Amino acid sequence: MTDLTAIKAEARKEAFARRKAAFAGGQGAACEHLTSALMRFGPAPLAGYMPIRTEIDPRRVMAAHPGPVGVPVILGPGRALIFRAWTPQTPLVEGEYGAAIPEQGPEIVPRVLIVPLVAFDRRGYRLGYGGGYYDRTLEALRAKGPTTAIGFAFAAQEMDHLPIEPTDQRLDLIITEHGPIWPR
């Protein structure tokens, strides 16, 4: 294990504890802030996610989006995510890591992504679960055109300074129950 791997593992441990405590306190106004942030994108294709464990839940916002919405599907280690079309009525099955995914359906290419995370910092970096799926996905989408990544989290998930690697993709905006955070 490298020093960076150990540092990230310790940061995840602390962040999971913070997120669990924040989750117990409820979602707060986070969904209202996320809805406001998404208004500027109109009906642009949106990727959300199906929450697992103590992740903050974006489904109410996803359901109200005026354009197509997709949720991530993991195709395998080392690969970028794809996004299958989703509505609240879409039949779901259990996917990787226990996240619900559409059993079938068309793929959408999002312009805006609501990104889950374990921790974030004010520079716009996020700490995920360690698979690199969102970093690969954002890099590929951004190479094809404008793509906005919005981290969605509890304020308690903020850390002063996350360890980063050259492959880490920055978030364009972070939304918490306290409002938007624009990375510096």
Side-chain angles (χ1 to χ4, degrees):
M1 181 165 19
T2 67
D3 287 342
L4 187 56
T5 302
I7 291 167
K8 284 188 171 188
E10 189 57 36
R12 275 188 194 93
K13 183 177 175 182
E14 179 184 342
F16 277 129
R18 289 181 183 194
R19 188 173 80 183
K20 183 177 181 180
F23 182 82
Q27 305 283 315
C31 284
E32 287 77 17
H33 293 300
L34 182 58
T35 298
S36 293
L38 290 173
M39 288 177 74
R40 68 186 242 203
F41 298 101
L46 173 71
Y49 62 89
M50 304 305 286
I52 59 172
R53 303 178 195 144
T54 56
E55 288 176 339
I56 196 165
D57 188 349
R59 289 177 292 183
R60 181 170 54 123
V61 177
M62 292 161 48
H65 184 68
V69 177
V71 294
V73 175
I74 295 173
L75 297 176
R79 297 182 64 188
L81 301 166
I82 64 162
F83 299 90
R84 282 199 191 130
W86 172 88
T87 70
Q89 295 76 37
T90 301
L92 303 172
V93 296
E94 186 173 322
E96 295 289 322
Y97 302 105
I101 61 171
E103 188 170 24
Q104 56 188 354
E107 186 177 332
I108 71 156
V109 178
R111 179 172 171 254
V112 181
L113 292 86
I114 304 168
V115 181
L117 50 88
V118 177
F120 68 90
D121 67 19
R122 294 264 169 166
R123 298 173 300 163
Y125 288 106
R126 66 181 279 279
L127 187 63
Y129 292 99
Y133 294 107
Y134 273 96
D135 292 319
R136 280 188 292 282
T137 302
L138 288 170
E139 181 178 33
L141 289 170
R142 287 172 169 162
K144 294 177 185 173
T147 303
T148 301
I150 302 172
F152 192 44
F154 295 106
Q157 291 173 252
E158 181 177 351
M159 299 187 116
D160 290 336
H161 191 82
L162 291 175
I164 60 169
E165 299 178 66
T167 55
D168 289 340
Q169 294 286 308
R170 289 181 60 189
L171 299 167
D172 299 291
L173 175 63
I174 300 142
I175 300 292
T176 75
E177 69 275 22
H178 298 307
I181 297 171
W182 296 95
R184 38 185 150 104

